[in-house]
Amino acid sequence: MKSGRHPHTRAFAICSLLAFTALPASAQVALTTLGTAYTQNFDTLPASGTAVWANNTTLPGWYHARTGSGSNLVADTGANNAGNLYSYGASGNADRALGSVGSGNAAVGSLFWGLRLKNTTGSTITALAITYTGEQWRNSAATAQSIAFSYAIAPSFSGTLAEFQSTGTAVAALDVTSPVTGGSAAALNGNLAANQQTRSATLSGISLPNGSEILLRWSDPDHGGADHGLAIDSLSVTPQGSGPQQTTLSIADASRDEGNSGTSTLTFTISLSQPAPTGGVTFDIATSDGSATAPSDYVANALTAQTIAAGATSKTFDVVINGDTSGEPDENFRVTLSNPLNAVIADGEATGTIVNDDALPLAKIHDVQGNGATTPIGAGTSVTVEGIVTGSYQGSSKLSGFFVQEEDADADADPLTSEGLFVYCAACPTAVSEGQRVRVTGLVSEFFGLTEITASTAGAVAITDAGNRLGDITPAAIALPVAGDVDAFYEAREGMLVRFSDALFVSEYFELARYGQIELYQGGRPRQFTEDNAPGVAGYTAHLAALARRRVTLDDENNVENWPLTLADGAQYLFHPQANGGFSAGTHGSDFFRGGDRIDNLTGVLHWSFAGFTGTDAWRIRPTQATPAVFTPVNPRSATAPDVGGAITAASVNVLNYFTTLDTTSSNSSGPCGPSSSQDCRGADNSNELDRQRERTSIVLCGLDADVVGLVELENATTSATIDNLLGAVNARCGGAHPYVVAGTGAALGTDAIRNQLIYRSGVLSPVGGTLVDNDTIHNRPPLAQTFDVVETGNPAFGQRFTAIVNHFKSKSCSSASGANADSGDGQGCYASRRTQQASRLLTWIDTTVVPAANDPDILLLGDYNAYAKETPITTLASAGYVDLLSALGGPDAYSYLFDGQLGHLDYALASASLAPQVVGIAPWHINADELPQLDYNDDVRDTGEAAYEEEPNGSTLNPPRTLVMAASPYRASDHDPVLVGLFDDGVIFRDGFE
């Protein structure tokens, strides 16, 4: 059962548990004895997931500050290039190092971390001998970078940013400098000698009086460009000095098995840092309750004036433990020192742990799950259950466990208790298969909201029936939408085999390659809230809640991010569909699916889990060998563009970052592109990818065969090389007697790395006057306008004049959004205010510049407006008489784009009031939004700076082979569907209110 929704990472669960049960630490680490080293190996840092760094808690005595606003600590292997404080190490390995990557991100900035040390030796410390290992876990392909070391001395510190930035003493010998530079950006193994530097120096000549503190500081600024991932490990700090040393008193933790009856003794040892002086050392000592309570679990004990005799160094203290046979979690109590004489307390509190050694009798799974928010059985209690294996995901490349379920005959009558359970078996010494009946003995826990049993030792899992007993289980029927609380509904079915009675429709597939998951919806594919409704916080909130009741996440067999790429080249595949062993070009339904396809009677195990990255926790269906998902084609591909009629056709086409300057840098924010030659090149990463993109884009443009085309996301180069490259391929394929030409100059337009462009069929249309550009500062991708006359002899529209304007408004991305541009929660996303201002400016420019120059009011607006039909930028244009043709003529289900599993249109053809009656038809060509992103132009080579998700899997050696290469195909040329509109029929038309 759920104790809450938390990041689903196993190693961090252990760290969090320790953080809650550990005794409070002092505000700094005490240096108690000259010549005795303080050491830190950082191995208690999380091995996976994301934690919130807590000063003096994540690591006692350690502090972190940054110029950014965040406080996250992220476990990483060096694969992540985002700025943050990192717990570096091999995936899932407990051997950790503390490091960082600086970033200009508002949540990161420059990072600092350090150690507060307090002198309690009784003498002045005159030197500190410091050694540690510097490790590099990521090569960003940049030049050498360093983490700088310094220290400061004061009566006390609190670990603030100001203290880290204050003037101190720099020690260059203790700086960490990246041993690996240049080349390609990639993760490194910081545990290898080639990626390490040993740092050692003695801070001599210091004066650290008894009772004062020294702050050891490491500083990692945001270096220009990409940052390396540098870290520290295996730290040792040894105080040196002279004079008498203060005697310190400490008590150590202790534990013992509880026993089944009678009593036993738990002995604690109290130790001195040096032999007791003349007169000895005295102290008081007493027990106090924790989860163990006196007198039921132990006998309380409190003694005063206990003495460690002169010359002795230790003394013991006994506590009587009561045995029993009850199955229960381990329990603990505290033992505290006080009132010392002739010594000071260095560590005055110990934990006594009573280790449970009793197992519960055979339990039913529903008893372990219970009908409340958490299991009614105490965490850490050993239980034994027996059930049928419904799904086996053993092995480190899967879930390292399996699901078991009670037979129907053993289920209880309580609808709130689940009959299924996840068994985490780690290395899984006993292999199990679906349908077998097994007996499992292990410890119960709530693993980030998932009730599970850990049974990882030999003999913990026993097969009691090796046959197939799946027939003894009836999958729990689920009808959507869910009524009431969604989490509570699924809670009662956690870990069970379930079957959905409704047809489910493929709606989101962007994360198939990264996480192996697909989002399905009951009742058809959902639409964006603001596609059909005016923006509003209440309405949008209700919309999202309704989606959650209809949504089903179909996952694969693991939680490994980018799992296909962990397989050997040639054996890589995307998990769904399973009919022929994974996604591939081939036959619709068995080899590939499209958005809108259907799955009937979806059956699998219901699992609460993350997808492979922190923050992705959700209810998900794990497929089983017995019940793979079957995809029924509902939305077939159209090989030809729609027939929209009209004597003249126009198209709006997003070309998905068509760049002829290859992206060869490791940075995602800078490079040789854009008008300033300093922006990132966003398109193809190698010539093979560019060839694919050129071929596919030319096929699309020739398939549309429009007379004028508004292009968006074309490289904003300082020359016409990019558009010339594209038109060369287009005209070679379909130029004919009327080849396409560019309207206006090919020089850079605006300040962004991408631009708008108009192309048209020569001999069919003829430009009237020059191309107009609005360089108002509200636009970083200025709108482009060109007036045309129809000049083709014999064309029914001969002599007609109209103006085409292509726009690309500000995106919905929230990067740097603030104030009126922040996401208000009304469904419009970020920068709605900016887009509305762009729409208003567009209207002003049209009225004052474009129409007077054209001497004709017929205006056709094309392009990507990054706003759905009811959002304020579009309603602003509509209030000025412009008609959204796709909404008006395309029907209630029209769309051109998919985001977050919801359909809508960002790609427009809007006609002025005078042109609207002359529109014959409009339709999107659904060749992009319904297709898997991995079918795009990217290849199976990960080039410098290329994101992992852009590398396509290589399944060439599988049988049958799995491939994502589609030659001579228009599909997934972009992520937006092109929109085609027909203008100027022989007579006036009457359709949908136009006349």
Side-chain angles (χ1 to χ4, degrees), residues 86 147 152 222 234 313 359 377 397 405 454 463 519 565 633 659 753 783 799:
Y86 283 105
I147 291 177
D222 173 25
S234 303
T313 58
I377 298 173
S397 63
Q405 186 166 332
T454 298
I463 300 171
E519 287 186 3
L565 302 183
F659 279 59

Side-chain angles (χ1 to χ4, degrees), residues 232-264:
I232 64 173
D233 200 0
S234 303
L235 173 70
S236 174
V237 181
T238 304
Q240 300 170 355
S242 60
Q245 300 179 33
Q246 192 167 30
T247 302
T248 59
L249 187 66
S250 302
I251 183 170
D253 296 342
S255 65
R256 70 161 299 138
D257 288 348
E258 178 182 52
N260 293 329
S261 62
T263 61
S264 57

Side-chain angles (χ1 to χ4, degrees), residues 447-466:
F447 180 61
F448 289 93
L450 175 73
T451 302
E452 68 177 24
I453 293 177
T454 298
S456 56
T457 60
V461 177
I463 300 171
T464 58
D465 187 335

Side-chain angles (χ1 to χ4, degrees), residues 183-339:
S184 300
L188 301 174
N189 182 350
N191 290 324
L192 298 180
N195 303 325
Q196 293 184 339
Q197 294 176 334
T198 299
R199 289 291 174 256
S200 179
T202 298
L203 311 184
S204 57
I206 66 173
S207 177
L208 182 64
N210 187 59
S212 293
E213 295 185 10
I214 185 169
L215 179 63
L216 306 184
R217 311 182 299 190
W218 285 264
S219 168
D220 184 12
D222 173 25
H223 299 92
D227 285 16
H228 298 303
L230 301 176
I232 64 173
D233 200 0
S234 303
L235 173 70
S236 174
V237 181
T238 304
Q240 300 170 355
S242 60
Q245 300 179 33
Q246 192 167 30
T247 302
T248 59
L249 187 66
S250 302
I251 183 170
D253 296 342
S255 65
R256 70 161 299 138
D257 288 348
E258 178 182 52
N260 293 329
S261 62
T263 61
S264 57
T265 300
L266 180 54
T267 299
F268 295 82
T269 299
I270 302 95
S271 302
L272 293 174
S273 60
Q274 58 188 353
T278 301
V281 171
T282 63
F283 57 89
D284 297 343
I285 188 168
T287 60
S288 60
D289 289 348
S291 58
T293 58
S296 59
D297 297 311
Y298 72 99
V299 178
N301 193 4
L303 301 174
T304 59
Q306 297 300 291
T307 301
I308 300 177
T313 58
S314 65
K315 184 180 182 63
T316 60
F317 175 70
D318 292 338
V319 178
V320 175
I321 305 301
N322 299 321
D324 64 42
T325 57
S326 300
E328 57 194 349
D330 294 347
E331 299 168 304
N332 60 72
F333 60 92
R334 292 180 291 276
V335 178
T336 305
L337 303 177
S338 61
N339 301 322

Side-chain angles (χ1 to χ4, degrees), residues 13 139 193 297 327 487 500 532 544 546 558 605 671 744 845 851:
N139 174 24
D297 297 311
D487 280 337
F500 290 85
D532 305 311
L544 295 179
N558 63 71
V605 179
W845 179 62
V851 171

